[in-house]
Amino acid sequence: MQPQHIAICGNIGSGKTTLAQKLSKHYGWQALLESVDDNPYLRDFYGDMNRWAFHVQMYFLNSRFKQVNKIRATNDKTTVQDRTIYEDAYIFATNLHSSGFMSERDFQSYLDTFHSMIAYVQPPDLLIYLKADIPKLVRQIEKRGRDYEYAIRIDYLRNLNEHYEQWINNYTSGKLLVIDVNNLDFVTRIDDFAHIVSKIDLELNSLFNQAS
């Protein structure tokens, strides 16, 4: 029995999209990538977080909910998803609120919508967390050259990492694989990618044995 939903989570610049694409090619999975460039609020958000925080997060939340429904409606193939609906709420919206960029009123409205959606969401069969420290994230962000991301502050990335650690340490919704990517370059080094694949294979075998 093959898994239906594999999800990759991690901070901005941790390598989620690239890994999703490589795993898609390696395993023959369908890749469902985060619609970053399609978000009409993102560029405005990085220029004025206070004004656009609620808008940008609501767009991502709705987009992710559509993705999850699409994944579960596709029964005949495995989908690898770049970022999860949980991160939208527990990491990004929570961080914006605690950092003063999202008002209490907007945050509560956001959470109400999230909790209404999450009642209809099944967790992924396997969640892969790419753990990366700030220097690694900054290098990756600079390398991909999205001009609107140049405004991202170090303390913003650091706060996100803290929220990720808290969430991952308390994650109990399904199988979890944590991969420290600080010293890995799975794009240019074949051995590093093979190392990740071997870890995923162990988890997939475990899932298969549980289903048998």
Side-chain angles (χ1 to χ4, degrees):
M1 178 180 176
Q2 66 177 3
Q4 189 174 355
H5 183 190
I6 308 294
I8 304 174
C9 67
N11 206 340
I12 301 167
S14 59
K16 300 179 303 300
T17 301
T18 302
L19 183 59
Q21 291 170 326
K22 289 182 72 67
L23 292 179
S24 171
K25 183 177 181 180
H26 177 80
Y27 288 103
W29 294 340
Q30 173 180 270
L32 197 53
L33 306 180
E34 184 180 26
S35 56
V36 170
D37 295 327
D38 295 331
N39 191 322
Y41 300 104
L42 196 60
R43 188 178 297 272
D44 292 323
F45 166 71
Y46 282 127
D48 188 347
M49 289 187 176
N50 286 91
R51 181 177 181 184
W52 298 105
F54 179 75
H55 301 78
V56 77
Q57 287 306 130
M58 285 301 297
Y59 180 91
F60 277 133
L61 181 65
N62 187 52
S63 174
R64 211 86 59 195
F65 186 60
K66 290 179 180 178
Q67 283 188 342
V68 173
N69 287 333
K70 181 179 180 180
I71 290 170
R72 291 302 176 180
T74 309
N75 296 318
D76 59 337
K77 61 181 64 176
T78 299
T79 298
V80 56
Q81 182 189 24
D82 167 17
R83 187 160 281 154
T84 67
I85 194 170
Y86 305 107
E87 291 163 89
D88 290 316
Y90 299 138
I91 310 299
F92 290 91
T94 297
N95 180 61
L96 288 170
H97 174 250
S98 63
S99 300
F101 294 116
M102 187 185 293
S103 70
E104 181 66 23
R105 180 177 63 178
D106 285 349
F107 185 55
Q108 291 305 320
S109 294
Y110 175 91
L111 287 181
D112 286 344
T113 304
F114 170 72
H115 288 135
S116 295
M117 289 179 171
I118 207 69
Y120 299 95
V121 170
Q122 289 180 258
D125 300 306
L126 174 64
L127 178 66
I128 302 170
Y129 171 51
L130 302 185
K131 180 181 175 67
D133 296 334
I134 301 302
K136 173 77 171 184
L137 298 175
V138 170
R139 288 196 301 272
Q140 294 290 98
I141 290 171
E142 291 176 344
K143 186 185 299 183
R144 66 191 184 191
R146 292 174 180 161
D147 60 342
Y148 56 81
E149 288 185 338
Y150 294 156
I152 297 178
R153 294 169 49 162
I154 299 298
D155 58 347
Y156 178 67
L157 291 174
R158 185 176 294 110
N159 288 339
L160 290 177
N161 257 6
E162 290 175 358
H163 284 293
Y164 265 109
E165 289 301 310
Q166 182 177 2
W167 174 56
I168 288 297
N169 288 337
N170 293 281
Y171 181 80
T172 57
S173 298
K175 289 190 72 65
L176 170 66
L177 172 61
V178 178
I179 300 176
D180 189 325
V181 295
N182 283 297
N183 297 312
L184 298 181
D185 183 354
F186 54 81
V187 176
T188 61
R189 296 204 293 256
I190 296 176
D191 288 348
D192 286 355
F193 180 63
H195 170 72
I196 292 175
V197 167
S198 68
K199 286 180 172 292
I200 293 173
D201 283 342
L202 286 174
E203 298 298 332
L204 294 178
N205 289 335
S206 176
L207 281 172
F208 179 80
N209 292 332
Q210 287 180 3
S212 300

